[in-house]
Amino acid sequence: MSNENDAYEYQTSDAATSWKEVAPGVWRLRIGSPEGLAPLALIGAEPDIAALGLMEATPPPFRWSDITVEECGNNAKLMVLPLDGQERLYGTGLQFMRSNQRGRTRYLRVNSDPKQDTGETHAPVPFYVSDKGYGVLVDTSRIVTMHLGSTLLTSDTDTEWIRDRNLDPEWRATMPSPRVEIKLPSDGAFLYVFGGPKLRDAVARYNLYCGGGALPPKWGLGFWHRVPTLHTDEEALREALEYRERDVPCDVIGLEPGWHSRSYPVTGEWDGGRFPDPPSFVRRMGEAGFRINLWEHPYLSPDSGMYSKLRPMSGSHTVWGGIAPDYALTEARAAYKEHHLREHVSLGVAGYKLDECDGSELTNNAWMFPDHARFPSGLDGESMRQLYGLMFQKMTYDLYRAENRRTYGLVRASGAGTSSLPYALYSDLYDHKQFIRALCNASYCGLLWTPEVRKARNAEDWARRMQTVCFSPLAMLNAWGDGTKPWSFPEVEGVVRHYIRLRMRLLPYLYTAFAEYREKGIPPIRAMSFEIPPGQLSAASGEGAGALDTTAGAYGKRRAREWDDQYMYGNDMVVAPLVEGESEREVLLPEGVWYGLESGIRYNGGTIIRVASGVEHIPVFVREGAIIPMMPPLSHMPSNGAKTELHLVHFGDAPGMCMLYDDDGETFDYERGGGSWHRVSVVPDGAGGLCGRLEGEGELPPSYSRIIWHLRLTSLV
C-alpha cells in the first residue's frame, strides 16, 4: 500500500510452513503471501487472551495433515478440509434463505438485498462453524467461494448414492461429500481454525479473538424511531413528543437523508431550511430524553465542504455522481473524523446509520464502483467494496471512543472481525420469516441484526413485526418513507405499546447479556444450535422429510426443518415469533422445565410442543429457576447518575442463579474498573421456602435505588 504510516496497513510475517497456536484454542496458517488490507488488521481489535485462557482447553479439531492446499488454475489456491457425513455447517455471514449451509456453495461478495441463495449478502463472512464444535475463518479482503460439502471428487463418489431419479425417492440433487473446498485469492490468505469443544465455544473463541462482543450504551437498547425523510426540526420534535404523550418508551430519533443539504450524493452538512439551528435542535431533543442518529452514505457531493479535501484521495469511479473516498488512507480518515466531530458529534449527535456501503447488482438498479476501480491506497474496487462497511464502522466507532462516548448505530455492509463494533445490520428486504432467520444466522459470525419495522399489510402483520423487533438487538420503527407510528393501527396500539414497554422492562437482562457477549463471546441473541445438542436438534428436524415442491425448480425442494424461526434471548428465554396468518406453531424447547413468560403455562422441555397465541401475544418461554433482572417501563433510559428500581423476577419452584452487570451505560470507564458484576441467587430459606440474595461489589449496582424481589412466579405480572 502506498502510505507506509497507515495504521491499517497489513504487514505479513516471514513465510509460514505450519499451523501455529496464536491464542488458546485458536490456530493460524499463512497460505501464500497475502498482500493488502484484510479485515482483522483493519479492525485492529486485540484478542482477549485472558478470556480465551479461561475457556475449556481443546485440542485441534483436525489432524493438520488432513488439511491440504491445492493449485486450481489462474494462480488460485484451493483449501480442502475434511467433513463428516452428518456434520452441519452454519455461518458464512448474514444469510436470509437457510441456516444449515451444508451442501451449499457460498459466493461471499458484499451485495445489497440478496433475493437468491448464492451467499452474496450485506455481510458475507468467510467463517463457518460446525455442530461438531469448531470454526474456520479465511481472513482476506477478496471474495471467497466456499463449497461446503457441495462438490464431489470422482474418487469420493459412493455408488450407493447413484440412484434412479425416476423411481427412487431417496435420489438427491446434492450427494454427500466428505470435503469442504475453499477457493482462495491468488496471493493467498490467513486461515484460522477455532476449537470447541462445542459449537458455542467455537463461536465464542472467534468473537473473543476478534476483541469480544460489542457493549452498546444503555440508551441504544431502548426503542428507536426514524422520522420521514423530509421532516423539519419542528416536525421531528413533534413526532418524538407524541411518544411521550402516548406513554410509549423511545430513546432514539433517527433522521433520514433530508437532514443533508443534498443527498444522493450527500454533503454531510445540515440543510439550513429544514434545520436552521442544529445545536438547538439536538439540545431540545436531548432535554426530552431523545438521542439523535444521522443517516449517511459514503458518496460525497461536489457541494460538500469535505469534497475538495477528499477528491484527491478518492477512487477512479463515482457513485451517483459522488466521489468514493479511500478510507484506507490515514489522511482521508482524519478529514472524515474532523468534519463529523465538528458538525455532528460535538453537538451531541449520538451515532450514525451507515447506508449503501454495499452496492447492488441484485436489485432493480446496479450501482457501485466496479471491481476494477482504482484507489490511491493501492486497493482495487473488489477489496474496497468488501471492506467499505468495515471502514465506516471502525471510523465512527473510533470517533466516539476518542470522546469517551459509546455509540450504537446501523450499517448495511459488514464482514469478518466486527464482533467488537457496536452496529446492527439492516436491509431493504422485508420478508418477516427471513428477518427471523437472519436473527439466528447473525449469531454465528459476530454480527447483530435488526428486523426493523416499516409498514404492514394489516394490524396483525403490524403487531407480529413489532413483537419480533422488540426481542432483537436493536428495536426500531423506520418511518422514513411511510410515515408509520406504533399507533398506526389503532386496533393493536395497546399490543404494540405493551411490547415496547416490555422491552424497556427487560433492559437490565438484555444489557447483562451484551456484557457477557463482551466478556465471554456468547451472542446475546442466538440460534437454537447454541443451546440444543446436535443429536437432539437433528432428531427434531425430520431429516429428509417433506413433500417434493415442484414449484421450487427442476430439482424440487425437500428440506429438513432447521428451527431457525425461534431463538434464545439471553441465557434463559426462548422467543418463538408468529407471523401474519399464524395463530399457532411448534416450538422446540431445550431440556428442563419452561414457563410461558406471559401465559404461565408449564412445559417440559427436551421436546417439541405446540402453542396457540392470539395477536396480543408472542410466544416467549422462560427457564424454571431463572432470575430475570427488570426495571420499570420508563419513557427512556435514565441518564448517567440517575437511579431506578431493580426488580428481580424468579420463575418456578427451583433455586436459581444469574449474573447482573451494571455500569454508567454511556462511557468506556468500565474498561478502567467502572463496571460491576453482581451474583443474584434464589436459594432455600431453611423453612421450606425460597429467599433471594444479591452479592457483589457494593450493596446495590450503581444504577438502582432499591431491589424488589418477585419469587416463584410462573408468569410476568
Side-chain angles (χ1 to χ4, degrees):
M1 297 175 66
S2 60
N3 189 337
E4 294 182 355
N5 296 318
D6 195 321
Y8 285 176
E9 188 171 6
Y10 193 53
Q11 303 289 341
T12 61
S13 60
D14 294 337
T17 58
S18 62
W19 290 90
K20 177 183 179 183
E21 188 168 13
V22 293
V26 182
W27 296 269
R28 182 177 66 195
L29 175 70
R30 194 187 73 154
I31 302 171
S33 300
E35 296 179 357
L37 181 61
L40 297 195
L42 189 158
I43 302 303
E46 290 293 326
D48 192 336
I49 301 296
L52 286 164
L54 294 175
M55 296 184 67
E56 179 181 349
T58 183
F62 308 106
R63 293 180 303 180
W64 298 127
S65 59
D66 290 341
I67 301 177
T68 62
V69 181
E70 305 170 2
E71 299 294 331
C72 61
N74 296 322
N75 296 318
K77 296 176 175 60
L78 195 68
M79 191 81 180
V80 181
L81 300 98
L83 194 59
D84 280 358
Q86 301 303 315
E87 203 169 337
R88 292 170 180 238
L89 304 179
Y90 302 98
T92 70
L94 187 71
Q95 301 295 340
F96 291 89
M97 307 299 178
R98 66 180 64 235
S99 288
N100 181 8
Q101 308 299 331
R102 177 71 184 265
R104 305 300 301 175
T105 295
R106 306 285 79 175
Y107 176 66
L108 297 176
R109 177 170 70 158
V110 169
N111 221 328
S112 76
D113 309 325
K115 297 184 178 181
Q116 299 296 323
D117 190 22
T118 65
E120 292 180 271
T121 178
H122 300 287
V125 181
F127 173 75
Y128 70 85
V129 62
S130 166
D131 65 356
K132 290 191 66 178
Y134 68 88
V136 176
L137 169 70
V138 181
D139 184 27
T140 177
S141 65
R142 295 294 180 186
I143 298 167
V144 172
T145 301
M146 289 185 161
H147 303 271
L148 300 174
S150 60
T151 57
L152 196 60
L153 291 176
T154 303
S155 57
D156 290 330
T157 302
D158 189 334
T159 55
E160 176 190 353
W161 288 107
I162 303 175
R163 304 194 175 194
D164 181 0
R165 185 184 179 193
N166 293 329
L167 301 174
D168 192 337
E170 294 300 313
W171 179 89
R172 294 189 186 184
T174 303
M175 297 173 70
S177 170
R179 54 197 261 151
V180 167
E181 298 181 341
I182 304 175
K183 188 175 181 181
L184 300 174
S186 58
D187 57 0
F190 279 99
L191 190 83
Y192 290 83
V193 169
F194 299 86
K198 298 178 181 178
L199 177 148
R200 64 186 286 127
D201 300 314
V203 173
R205 288 184 199 274
Y206 167 77
N207 290 330
L208 291 171
Y209 191 78
C210 296
L215 180 61
K218 289 181 179 178
W219 55 260
L221 299 179
F223 194 76
W224 295 41
H225 178 87
R226 306 198 74 83
V227 300
T229 189
L230 292 179
H231 261 25
T232 65
D233 53 0
E234 294 300 326
E235 290 170 328
L237 180 59
R238 282 199 300 272
E239 191 151 309
L241 292 176
E242 194 170 0
Y243 273 84
R244 304 289 184 252
E245 295 163 5
R246 292 179 178 264
D247 195 24
V248 178
C250 185
D251 272 272
V252 180
I253 295 296
L255 304 183
E256 289 291 300
W259 76 268
H260 291 263
S261 56
R262 290 184 65 109
S263 67
Y264 290 90
V266 298
T267 59
E269 293 153 4
W270 298 87
D271 181 86
R274 287 185 286 273
F275 294 88
D277 189 352
S280 174
F281 167 72
V282 176
R283 184 182 65 253
R284 286 190 296 159
M285 281 294 214
E287 290 169 351
F290 296 100
R291 313 281 177 147
I292 298 299
N293 178 278
L294 297 180
W295 173 100
E296 69 173 359
H297 68 215
Y299 316 109
L300 281 181
S301 165
D303 293 329
S304 171
M306 292 184 283
Y307 185 88
S308 60
K309 184 178 291 187
L310 287 172
R311 173 66 185 86
M313 295 181 278
S314 296
S316 57
H317 291 66
T318 61
V319 180
W320 296 310
I323 56 172
D326 184 347
Y327 290 118
L329 299 174
T330 302
E331 298 93 331
R333 297 197 303 276
Y336 176 96
K337 290 178 182 178
E338 185 277 329
H339 173 274
H340 282 57
L341 177 62
R342 182 185 68 250
E343 297 290 331
H344 314 146
V345 177
S346 66
L347 307 187
V349 167
Y352 296 96
K353 175 183 177 181
L354 306 171
D355 202 3
E356 292 156 332
C357 40
D358 43 15
S360 179
E361 289 83 19
L362 303 178
T363 58
N364 291 333
N365 299 288
W367 52 268
M368 194 41 154
F369 47 76
D371 287 356
H372 57 265
R374 302 176 306 280
F375 288 85
S377 65
L379 292 177
D380 61 14
E382 177 188 333
S383 289
M384 186 64 76
R385 178 167 173 175
Q386 295 289 100
L387 296 174
Y388 228 23
L390 279 67
M391 289 178 176
F392 276 87
Q393 291 177 75
K394 174 66 172 169
M395 279 196 304
T396 48
Y397 172 73
D398 286 349
L399 177 59
Y400 281 94
R401 190 177 182 88
E403 300 295 307
N404 196 26
R405 289 169 55 186
R406 276 186 265 168
T407 187
Y408 198 30
L410 296 144
V411 68
R412 218 175 77 176
S414 195
T418 56
S419 310
S420 65
L421 298 180
Y423 284 88
L425 287 147
Y426 63 98
S427 175
D428 282 347
L429 299 173
Y430 205 56
D431 183 281
H432 191 180
K433 286 193 174 184
Q434 289 183 9
F435 275 17
I436 297 167
R437 183 177 297 114
L439 278 172
C440 299
N441 287 347
S443 65
Y444 294 115
C445 296
L447 304 172
L448 301 174
W449 160 258
T450 173
E452 64 171 17
V453 182
R454 286 173 241 143
K455 60 181 180 179
R457 287 181 290 271
N458 50 51
E460 180 190 8
D461 186 32
W462 187 247
R464 292 306 192 196
R465 288 180 179 274
M466 279 289 192
Q467 289 165 344
T468 299
V469 84
C470 284
F471 286 95
S472 80
L474 193 153
M476 183 175 72
L477 167 56
N478 186 0
W480 78 274
D482 299 292
T484 48
K485 317 285 191 302
W487 43 89
S488 287
F489 292 87
E491 58 268 50
V492 293
E493 179 180 349
V495 175
V496 172
R497 179 186 295 107
H498 167 74
Y499 280 101
I500 296 177
R501 287 166 61 87
L502 179 57
R503 181 177 177 91
M504 178 62 72
R505 294 175 66 192
L506 288 169
L507 282 191
Y509 174 78
L510 183 58
Y511 192 62
T512 297
F514 268 96
E516 291 184 335
Y517 182 37
R518 176 176 65 86
E519 295 199 359
K520 298 181 180 179
I522 300 296
I525 292 162
R526 52 191 180 267
M528 298 309 300
S529 55
F530 282 77
E531 185 77 15
I532 296 178
Q536 183 184 345
L537 198 62
S538 178
S541 297
E543 202 73 60
L548 190 68
D549 179 3
T550 57
T551 66
Y555 301 107
K557 186 178 182 182
R558 184 185 285 116
R559 292 257 300 270
R561 183 161 188 176
E562 299 186 35
W563 298 103
D564 52 6
D565 57 354
Q566 62 176 78
Y567 50 91
M568 297 298 300
Y569 187 74
N571 293 328
D572 293 311
M573 290 188 191
V574 172
V575 179
L578 291 162
V579 303
E580 178 195 2
E582 296 178 346
S583 58
E584 60 179 6
R585 59 159 294 162
E586 291 182 331
V587 180
L588 177 60
L589 289 177
E591 296 286 348
V593 173
W594 296 79
Y595 292 93
L597 180 69
E598 296 184 277
S599 72
I601 298 173
R602 186 181 189 276
Y603 300 94
N604 290 319
T607 188
I608 300 170
I609 64 170
R610 191 163 190 87
V611 296
S613 183
V615 73
E616 68 276 5
H617 290 298
I618 177 175
V620 179
F621 307 87
V622 61
R623 197 190 308 267
E624 183 174 48
I627 306 166
I628 309 298
M630 301 181 70
M631 60 182 275
L634 306 177
S635 62
H636 60 91
M637 279 301 301
S639 59
N640 185 11
K643 296 181 183 291
T644 187
E645 295 174 344
L646 174 63
H647 293 251
L648 297 173
V649 184
H650 166 255
F651 281 81
D653 296 320
M657 188 279 291
C658 77
M659 300 301 294
L660 172 65
Y661 178 76
D662 190 35
D663 60 25
D664 64 26
E666 295 186 8
T667 74
F668 291 93
D669 290 354
Y670 64 81
E671 296 178 341
R672 298 175 289 277
S676 67
W677 284 96
H678 283 73
R679 178 186 174 92
V680 185
S681 56
V682 171
V683 298
D685 63 4
L690 298 172
C691 64
R693 294 178 181 172
L694 181 70
E695 303 167 281
E697 187 177 333
E699 183 178 350
L700 285 173
S703 299
Y704 302 103
S705 57
R706 65 173 182 143
I707 297 175
I708 302 174
W709 288 91
H710 306 266
L711 300 180
R712 295 182 122 163
L713 297 190
T714 56
S715 66
L716 276 185
V717 293

